[in-house]
Amino acid sequence: MALSLARAIVALFAAWVAIGALFAVAFAIIGVGRVDREARFGSIGFRVLIFPASVALWPLLLMRWIRATGEAPRERNEHRDLTSESPR
């Protein structure tokens, strides 16, 4: 029982990494520029650095890539919310 559970966990982890590696290649080449306009001109070193995190976090990055507009998200905090309101 424990051995089969361990094998299942290892198989799931291997599948996660395999899918993540395939995704990370495409994301480092194409996707990162669509998610963040400034990253479009990133160097090879930058793309190598984001590769491991892209493998691990591929579902989150995939959602960001799907929703990408090419613009940075608007920062929301209390100060910005107060200054963006019209004066009363």
Side-chain angles (χ1 to χ4, degrees):
M1 178 76 166
L3 184 58
S4 62
L5 178 61
R7 284 183 179 158
I9 291 172
V10 169
L12 286 173
F13 180 73
W16 182 279
V17 171
I19 294 169
L22 292 173
F23 170 81
V25 169
F27 184 76
I29 294 170
I30 301 166
V32 72
R34 293 200 179 145
V35 170
D36 184 355
R37 227 180 337 179
E38 298 298 321
R40 185 174 303 155
F41 307 107
S43 66
I44 298 292
F46 166 72
R47 294 172 194 277
V48 169
L49 283 174
I50 66 167
F51 186 83
S54 300
V55 171
L57 302 174
W58 69 265
L60 299 174
L61 293 173
L62 178 62
M63 293 307 296
R64 290 285 310 265
W65 191 357
I66 290 169
R67 296 180 185 155
T69 62
E71 297 179 12
R74 183 179 177 275
E75 180 181 352
R76 294 216 44 218
N77 59 39
E78 187 174 338
H79 173 73
R80 287 192 187 263
D81 291 342
L82 286 174
T83 58
S84 67
E85 292 179 5
S86 60
R88 295 177 185 170

